[in-house]
Amino acid sequence: MSILFSSSFKTDCPAKEGDASGQSPLRGVMCNRFSTGVVLLLKSLTRYSRILEIVGDIVKVHVPVNADSTAANVAFGDLGVVTESSGFRSLARVIRLDGDVASLQVFHGTKGLSSSASVQFLGYPLRVTYSANILGRVFRGDGEPLDSGPDLSQDPKLGIDGPSVNPARRLLASKMIRTNIPMIDVFNSLVESQKIPIFSVAGEPYNQLIARIGIQAEADIVVFGGMGLIFDDYHAFRKGFEDAGVFTRTAMYVNLASDPVVERLLVPDLALAVAERFAVEEGKRVRVLLTDMTAYADALKEVGIALENVPSNRGYMGDLYSQLARRYEKAADYADGGSVTILSVTTMPGDDVTHPVPDNTGYITEGQFYLHGGMIDPFGSLSRLKQHVIGKLTREDHGQVMNTMIRLYSGAVEAEQKQAMAFELSALDQRLLQFGRLFRERFMDINVSLPLEAALDLCWLTMAECFEPQELLMKQELIDKYFPAQAQSAEEEVA
């Protein structure tokens, strides 16, 4: 039994000579070496060789049932090892039990697998390494190291299917996270323990934005989960974390586009299990970055189709909401520990916010950042928890500045529409047009980096450059205190 729970599967093939990544070129299919404990364990386990069906990455195997009509020695979520005489060997995970039929997801795909294969069940679920040694490391979607760092097989392991922390131990979100991104800090403040996605479309710099948030936001630990990333994006994330000096407190779980789809489903669970343990047991403030949750949902759809589940909206399974909510609800601020804050990317096919993935996500999360045209759109973005910190943990003028700036920018958009239709513009319209240009340049560009107080001061300066104090419709005491004195004296001289 000690072998069963202390040893983990690993691909132990040597990398190509000169391969700095340390990743084996024979990964999965041709590489047969397991950890010693698992090899010993396999010799004592029953082998099931009646393969009923292979569909996509799903293998269905016949398992004799017990007297109570349940599959013998098999539980939902358990790991198994699929082997074949040709040399194929891969981990698999039980995802359905239907009488005497067990369906398994094969981690490294079923290419080259035939019905002559066999399955051995390990008797325990997938576990992820949890220790301080995982910081500064990169892992695959099955939890095994992707880099060439030290062996972690002897480090403690953590189950990834555990329940969420008792809600009674959670606190109301009340701590602001400063990101130095004006469109977030000023207009849609990020709050600790919040779960919030970035809604965008393919081609937008959403990965650049979420990386900046992970780098600049206040955090003790960053846990990154990448699903279906191209190598360039993975490299950009890793290099960005290294250059910013945060890689040593970052754990990365990466499923590349060329990796098995099955592993894509495990990345959020691996990342969140580790993040939750750091928060609860060590009191750390953890930021979890997940990209792209649409790729995760597409993997769910692919597996559901392979299992012949009845699809719901646009081919997605009917449990899409539950699957997403189960991950997002891991975000929490713990009374006796730290916190978990989740920021994700959700791409919208065709820029359609009614697509099932963003539509269901919107019901679960506490707002969204809408990235459009390389800028965070102030009208499509919303943080439902910002009222917990604005004016309470921030400067007294924060709320009024936020509302006034958005109202004036809305007027600027209307003035631009009038200009496009060749309507006659008033003097106020001209000032609104100027304000709109300054607003985009100084605040909406995601490359702008300003502390909150400096951003608020810049808001006052921008308003002063375009409008007179009485046009702002703000509290007079705030105008007297924060309206730039130079702009005020200049207006008095003109009068």
Side-chain angles (χ1 to χ4, degrees), residues 446-491:
I446 64 170
N447 294 311
V448 175
S449 181
L450 284 173
L452 174 59
E453 288 72 19
L456 289 173
D457 291 339
L458 185 58
C459 288
W460 281 104
L461 178 61
T462 304
M463 290 187 289
E465 290 176 1
C466 303
F467 305 101
E468 297 179 1
Q470 60 270 23
E471 293 179 305
L472 301 180
L473 303 179
M474 298 173 69
K475 292 182 179 178
Q476 189 60 45
E477 57 266 29
L478 295 179
I479 292 177
D480 293 340
K481 185 174 181 180
Y482 294 106
F483 197 85
Q486 293 180 348
Q488 213 163 8
S489 59
E491 290 172 2

Side-chain angles (χ1 to χ4, degrees), residues 114-252:
S114 70
S115 58
S116 63
S118 61
V119 178
Q120 293 172 282
F121 296 97
L122 300 182
Y124 60 89
L126 182 66
R127 310 171 79 199
V128 60
T129 302
Y130 166 72
S131 72
N133 295 329
I134 69 173
L135 300 178
R137 298 294 302 274
V138 183
F139 302 88
R140 296 199 308 256
D142 59 1
E144 291 300 313
L146 178 62
D147 56 21
S148 55
D151 177 47
L152 299 175
S153 60
Q154 301 305 313
D155 285 37
K157 302 295 186 291
L158 172 69
I160 68 170
D161 288 327
S164 297
V165 173
N166 187 340
R169 294 184 59 191
R170 303 186 180 192
L171 299 175
L172 181 67
S174 60
K175 305 169 187 174
M176 181 177 175
I177 299 174
R178 292 172 177 253
T179 67
N180 291 343
I181 300 175
M183 287 305 298
I184 296 178
D185 290 352
V186 177
F187 302 101
N188 286 289
S189 301
L190 183 62
V191 182
E192 206 159 287
S193 78
Q194 190 167 7
K195 45 188 179 288
I196 190 165
I198 298 170
F199 284 175
S200 191
V201 296
E204 292 286 347
Y206 47 80
N207 283 334
Q208 177 186 345
L209 176 59
I210 198 172
R212 274 197 63 203
I213 295 174
I215 290 170
Q216 296 180 184
E218 303 162 332
D220 297 322
I221 290 174
V222 176
V223 181
F224 175 82
M227 292 155 279
L229 295 179
I230 63 174
F231 183 82
D232 288 350
D233 286 340
Y234 154 64
H235 179 71
F237 275 113
R238 179 167 179 171
K239 189 174 186 303
F241 293 148
E242 289 175 341
D243 292 346
V246 302
F247 187 67
T248 55
R249 54 183 175 90
T250 299
M252 298 182 70

Side-chain angles (χ1 to χ4, degrees), residues 9-40:
F9 161 86
K10 68 175 180 177
T11 302
D12 199 23
C13 291
K16 290 181 181 178
E17 186 175 352
D19 183 359
S21 68
Q23 183 177 3
S24 169
L26 306 176
R27 177 184 168 193
V29 175
M30 298 299 295
C31 183
N32 298 326
R33 284 187 284 176
F34 286 67
S35 61
T36 304
V38 171
V39 171
L40 294 174

Side-chain angles (χ1 to χ4, degrees), residues 287-302:
R287 308 291 175 256
V288 180
L289 312 178
L290 300 174
T291 178
D292 168 6
M293 291 303 287
T294 301
Y296 171 79
D298 288 341
L300 284 174
K301 178 169 69 171
E302 184 173 329

Side-chain angles (χ1 to χ4, degrees), residues 357-486:
V357 180
D359 188 36
N360 281 277
T361 300
Y363 286 104
I364 300 167
T365 56
E366 293 142 349
Q368 69 281 329
F369 300 131
Y370 183 39
L371 184 63
H372 181 71
M375 300 180 178
I376 300 178
D377 188 340
F379 302 134
S381 301
L382 171 67
S383 172
R384 295 192 178 99
L385 301 183
K386 63 184 178 183
Q387 67 272 17
H388 293 172
V389 297
I390 291 180
K392 299 175 182 177
L393 302 179
T394 61
R395 229 166 60 180
E396 58 181 335
D397 61 326
H398 188 170
Q400 287 251 315
V401 167
M402 174 188 68
N403 293 332
T404 303
M405 291 287 288
I406 294 299
R407 172 171 55 82
L408 293 174
Y409 182 66
S410 176
V413 172
E414 293 180 2
E416 289 170 355
Q417 293 173 347
K418 291 167 65 176
Q419 185 182 45
M421 293 184 289
F423 286 179
E424 185 177 352
L425 301 179
S426 65
L428 177 60
D429 290 332
Q430 296 291 352
R431 293 199 297 276
L432 286 169
L433 290 174
Q434 179 190 1
F435 176 83
R437 288 191 294 270
L438 293 175
F439 186 84
R440 292 189 188 92
E441 294 171 3
R442 295 176 176 179
F443 302 100
M444 291 179 63
D445 189 337
I446 64 170
N447 294 311
V448 175
S449 181
L450 284 173
L452 174 59
E453 288 72 19
L456 289 173
D457 291 339
L458 185 58
C459 288
W460 281 104
L461 178 61
T462 304
M463 290 187 289
E465 290 176 1
C466 303
F467 305 101
E468 297 179 1
Q470 60 270 23
E471 293 179 305
L472 301 180
L473 303 179
M474 298 173 69
K475 292 182 179 178
Q476 189 60 45
E477 57 266 29
L478 295 179
I479 292 177
D480 293 340
K481 185 174 181 180
Y482 294 106
F483 197 85
Q486 293 180 348

Side-chain angles (χ1 to χ4, degrees), residues 311-334:
S312 181
N313 190 9
R314 305 195 198 184
Y316 291 90
M317 300 300 113
D319 66 343
L320 177 62
Y321 178 93
S322 299
Q323 294 287 355
L324 293 174
R326 181 184 171 192
R327 277 79 194 173
Y328 280 116
E329 290 302 328
K330 295 283 187 177
D333 191 356
Y334 303 108

Side-chain angles (χ1 to χ4, degrees), residues 72-128:
N73 304 319
V74 182
F76 182 83
D78 277 2
L79 292 179
V81 178
V82 181
T83 58
E84 192 174 19
S85 58
S86 64
F88 183 100
R89 180 177 285 179
S90 174
L91 267 185
R93 186 187 189 198
V94 178
I95 58 172
R96 174 181 285 182
L97 292 171
D98 186 7
D100 59 356
V101 179
S103 299
L104 300 94
Q105 289 177 318
V106 182
F107 283 13
H108 297 147
T110 57
K111 185 178 180 180
L113 188 65
S114 70
S115 58
S116 63
S118 61
V119 178
Q120 293 172 282
F121 296 97
L122 300 182
Y124 60 89
L126 182 66
R127 310 171 79 199
V128 60

